[in-house]
Amino acid sequence: MFNIIPQPTSILINRDKKGFTLHAGTIISPYPFVDEFISFVRKEFNKKIYVHEDTGEERSIILSVDESIESDEGYTIKCENRRVFINAKTETGLFYGLQTLKQMLLQTEGKLPYTEITDYPRFSYRGYMLDCGRYFYTVDEVKRIVDLMALHKLNVLHWHLTEDQGWRIEIKKYPLLTEKGSMRSHTNFNNKPHGGYYTQEDIKEIVKYCHERFIKVIPEFDIPGHSVAAISCYPYLSCLDRKLDVATHWGVKHDILCAGKETTYQFVYDVLDEMIELFPDKIIHIGGDEAVKMRWQECPLCQKVIKDNGLADVDALQIFFMNKVNDYLKSKGYASVMWSYDKIENSENLSPDIAWTVCGMGNDRELVENEIKRGRKLINTHCYPYYFDFPYGWNTLKKVCNDDGALTDNDEGTLGIEAQLWTEYVPDMKRLEFLTFPRLGAMAENAWAEKGYPTFSTFMHKAGDYCKLLDAYDVKYAPLKKACPSFIYKHASSLWFKRRVFHWEGLHNLIDDAKAKKEAEKLRKTVKDNF
């Protein structure tokens, strides 16, 4: 039996029939995406295979589009009579078939028995979120992550590009966003400046790279919170026109975009207009999480919008804000996604067109089911177990394996699963790979394989072969002993993470909030409609 990750729908092996042996000179059908497979074979088996229309009768890997296959991402593999046949309804399925074939060849040293595989995914959405706002990752590093996503048959890169601590996407109408907003003076208590951003040409290059691997790209423009980097460049975006620096410490900030100024909405629309030109997959993530509304409470302009629109409070104002942004994207033919970290009161007023990446409120089944009934689509990004920046002591490999994947008792309303890699404590690729793997293998199984698979025991049965696959790609993954921590290591890693999370922003916020309150008093005196 082959140990394939993610687990195929069905595998049949007959050792009494002729299979396929990989030889130098093997022929493969001509598709644009076979080059990486050819490189893999050359590296792992020191054999050169060739692309040719005429695949011949032997020593051939034959890729064929077959419209009778039901799933757009599904495929079949048959190894017989010295040939491999991969059939799929689309090129996406053919590409996924090659990812499976890589594992089969590795596990048999290139000598495959007669095999029949039928495979298709459980969920249509299988994602990985990369936060480049806290720490910048180069174009080549992002491509490396995309390659490893493709190996696991993931199909969505959720790319977190704007943050309090750094703005990472070039917006030509607002040049200061990258000239100033992409650089912070230091990080927490060190003295090292950190920065970087993607030019629009970089973005196009990465999006093209993803599409060649059948991965959609959903950029995140996080609003109205997590916007200090933008406000530092254009202070009028805040309620009090505050002159701030790009944030240097982690933690939730109290200065957010002002919901009471038309100039704020125009800024948002202008940014979205340029993002739309760069990201053609018709979906943009608009954030919505951790928007502390203390400034809105004090801001006379925000309070005027609340009064003029018959809103109940500042929480209703955020729903008003997100709906306006969603309406703008809809007018451009784009869909919106936003975070639902905690229970959103009055969420019935939030447009059901906005899909949710579901984090902290995933255990509230009543809320989830109500939102599904309203027509809202949900993506399982639950922080336990899919926050991969959390230490293995919090999100063990076992916890990931044993997650059911769905947010309800069935898969209705669940688009799929997404792993999260927030980078406050992930400054480089070495740390990223250690935290992501092998957990991403278990997450990929939850998203692809049939409901109820994997379990921890089934995954561990395959873990040896999975690690060999990761070795073939030089992945610096966590050893299984650390991914499945002992009691001592589990608690030690938890204490280490809690110590790292601790910082001195609390005192700063108290002082700054008092200062902002005085600034708001001055502003109220200049506004005729004073509440």
Side-chain angles (χ1 to χ4, degrees), residues 389-458:
D389 54 302
F390 285 0
Y392 284 100
W394 288 8
N395 282 339
T396 65
L397 179 59
K398 183 176 183 179
K399 186 179 289 187
V400 181
C401 287
N402 288 341
D403 185 74
D404 179 63
L407 292 165
T408 59
D409 293 334
N410 54 50
D411 292 345
E412 181 185 358
T414 305
L415 291 176
I417 305 174
E418 181 179 285
Q420 312 297 297
L421 202 285
W422 302 105
T423 59
E424 287 96 332
Y425 308 104
V426 190
D428 52 44
M429 284 294 290
K430 181 179 178 182
R431 185 65 181 166
L432 181 148
E433 292 186 8
F434 177 88
L435 290 169
T436 299
F437 304 96
R439 289 190 285 202
L440 192 70
M443 173 264 168
E445 294 232 271
N446 292 338
W448 181 281
E450 291 182 329
K451 187 177 177 67
Y453 196 103
T455 63
F456 182 59
S457 60
T458 59

Side-chain angles (χ1 to χ4, degrees), residues 471-482:
D471 288 336
Y473 282 84
D474 302 314
V475 177
K476 305 300 187 289
Y477 55 89
L480 292 175
K481 284 186 178 180
K482 290 189 175 181

Side-chain angles (χ1 to χ4, degrees), residues 157-212:
L157 172 64
H158 171 182
W159 199 4
H160 189 83
L161 290 168
T162 69
E163 255 307 333
D164 295 310
Q165 295 83 12
W167 183 282
R168 306 298 179 206
I169 176 173
E170 180 188 25
I171 301 298
K172 293 183 178 180
K173 190 167 184 177
Y174 298 93
L176 289 179
L177 290 173
T178 45
E179 290 174 14
K180 179 184 178 183
S182 66
M183 178 66 68
R184 61 178 179 264
S185 61
H186 62 282
T187 304
N188 288 345
F189 302 106
N190 70 30
N191 296 312
K192 298 177 183 178
H194 179 82
Y197 68 91
Y198 306 98
T199 67
Q200 294 199 357
E201 290 306 309
D202 291 336
I203 298 283
K204 291 174 183 176
E205 181 181 340
I206 290 171
V207 169
K208 181 176 182 289
Y209 195 84
C210 288
H211 288 174
E212 289 169 350

Side-chain angles (χ1 to χ4, degrees), residues 1-2 13-18 108 111-114:
M1 175 64 77
F2 292 106
I13 296 174
N14 189 334
R15 299 190 182 277
D16 295 329
K17 294 183 179 181
K18 290 181 180 179
T108 59
K111 299 177 181 179
L112 303 178
Y114 176 93

Side-chain angles (χ1 to χ4, degrees), residues 354-383:
I354 305 175
W356 281 359
T357 35
V358 178
C359 301
M361 44 69 74
N363 288 328
D364 190 337
R365 287 294 177 100
E366 183 180 356
L367 174 60
V368 166
E369 289 170 1
N370 286 340
E371 291 301 321
I372 290 172
K373 287 176 183 176
R374 295 183 62 232
R376 195 178 310 284
K377 299 299 183 182
L378 307 177
I379 301 158
N380 184 353
T381 62
H382 203 280
C383 48

Side-chain angles (χ1 to χ4, degrees), residues 77-123:
I77 296 177
K78 182 178 281 190
C79 306
E80 66 172 348
N81 294 327
R82 302 184 179 90
R83 290 183 291 179
V84 175
F85 299 89
I86 301 179
N87 290 358
K89 186 175 183 178
T90 66
E91 290 188 9
T92 307
L94 296 177
F95 178 79
Y96 290 152
L98 285 180
Q99 307 316 306
T100 295
L101 184 59
K102 289 176 189 176
Q103 298 186 55
M104 296 168 68
L105 292 170
L106 272 181
Q107 293 172 29
T108 59
E109 298 182 346
K111 299 177 181 179
L112 303 178
Y114 176 93
T115 308
E116 294 181 29
I117 291 178
T118 299
D119 201 10
Y120 53 86
R122 175 186 174 193
F123 289 119

